[in-house]
Amino acid sequence: MFKKLASMMLAAAMCLALGVSAFAADTGAKTLRQVYDLGNGVTAVVVVDQIGKTAMPARDGNSMTFSDVASPKKTQHYNFLENYGNFCDLRVWNDATKNEGTQMKVTFKATVNGKTTSFSPVLVDPQWRAYIQLNSNQPDKGINGGVDATMEAVDASSVPYTFVASQDWM
């Protein structure tokens, strides 16, 4: 019982922390935060913002980080491992310089516990990021499935990006 209560309190604190950062962010048209209810206690949050590169490595080792180029489009997939956690964080940075001005369109698609959800594409300016966070409110059951991120250069032949994904228990 204590473990469930502690997990719920931690999840509530995370939600509040996300809310505080969203209110403090630049209020320009480029900043975005959308929350989706995927059912069965799973929520997804899609964000576009200008915060610097910070990874959230998984303590249990289910994480990946790499840089690549979408020329003009590339899709990356990240698998969830049920025993590795009920929280997933996938971030994509547009590594183009501000002088290049190349925007990147990012489209997320998540399959969670057998149900696939496609999210609306978001535009990411140079040196900005887009990310999706998936969270299950069931502290003793991990998330099954995976998430796809499709990066596409806008008005250019290619765009460099950095991809970071991790899964952990919350």
Side-chain angles (χ1 to χ4, degrees):
M1 180 68 181
F2 175 75
K3 185 176 178 183
K4 287 184 179 184
L5 180 61
S7 295
M8 292 300 288
M9 290 177 65
L10 191 60
M14 284 183 47
C15 289
L16 290 173
L18 286 172
V20 169
S21 64
F23 289 119
D26 179 5
T27 58
K30 300 170 193 161
T31 301
L32 169 80
R33 183 175 187 273
Q34 298 173 328
V35 180
Y36 301 88
D37 181 357
L38 303 184
N40 294 324
V42 178
T43 57
V45 179
V46 175
V47 176
V48 175
D49 63 17
Q50 194 180 16
I51 296 175
K53 286 187 183 177
T54 56
M56 293 181 63
R59 289 187 299 263
D60 292 335
N62 190 25
S63 64
M64 64 185 337
T65 301
F66 61 88
S67 296
D68 204 348
V69 176
S71 182
K73 181 190 253 188
K74 185 136 188 191
T75 299
Q76 299 293 335
H77 180 76
Y78 178 70
N79 283 321
F80 306 142
L81 302 175
E82 182 178 10
N83 296 330
Y84 278 81
N86 61 348
F87 176 80
C88 175
D89 182 89
L90 188 149
R91 300 170 187 230
V92 181
W93 283 270
N94 180 343
D95 289 336
T97 66
K98 290 184 180 185
N99 291 342
E100 291 171 306
T102 304
Q103 285 187 315
M104 179 172 68
K105 180 169 71 170
V106 178
T107 306
F108 295 111
K109 180 172 75 172
T111 301
V112 179
N113 302 328
K115 180 183 172 189
T116 300
T117 304
S118 295
F119 302 91
S120 298
V122 295
L123 285 178
V124 182
D125 280 344
Q127 303 298 303
W128 282 53
R129 70 177 176 181
Y131 65 90
I132 185 168
Q133 291 178 330
L134 299 159
N135 187 36
S136 170
N137 68 2
Q138 300 177 11
D140 56 342
K141 184 176 181 185
I143 296 176
N144 286 317
V147 65
D148 291 327
T150 300
M151 289 66 63
E152 183 175 1
V154 177
D155 295 331
S157 61
S158 64
V159 62
Y161 65 88
T162 298
F163 177 95
V164 176
S166 65
Q167 182 180 5
D168 210 338
W169 290 101
M170 295 309 267

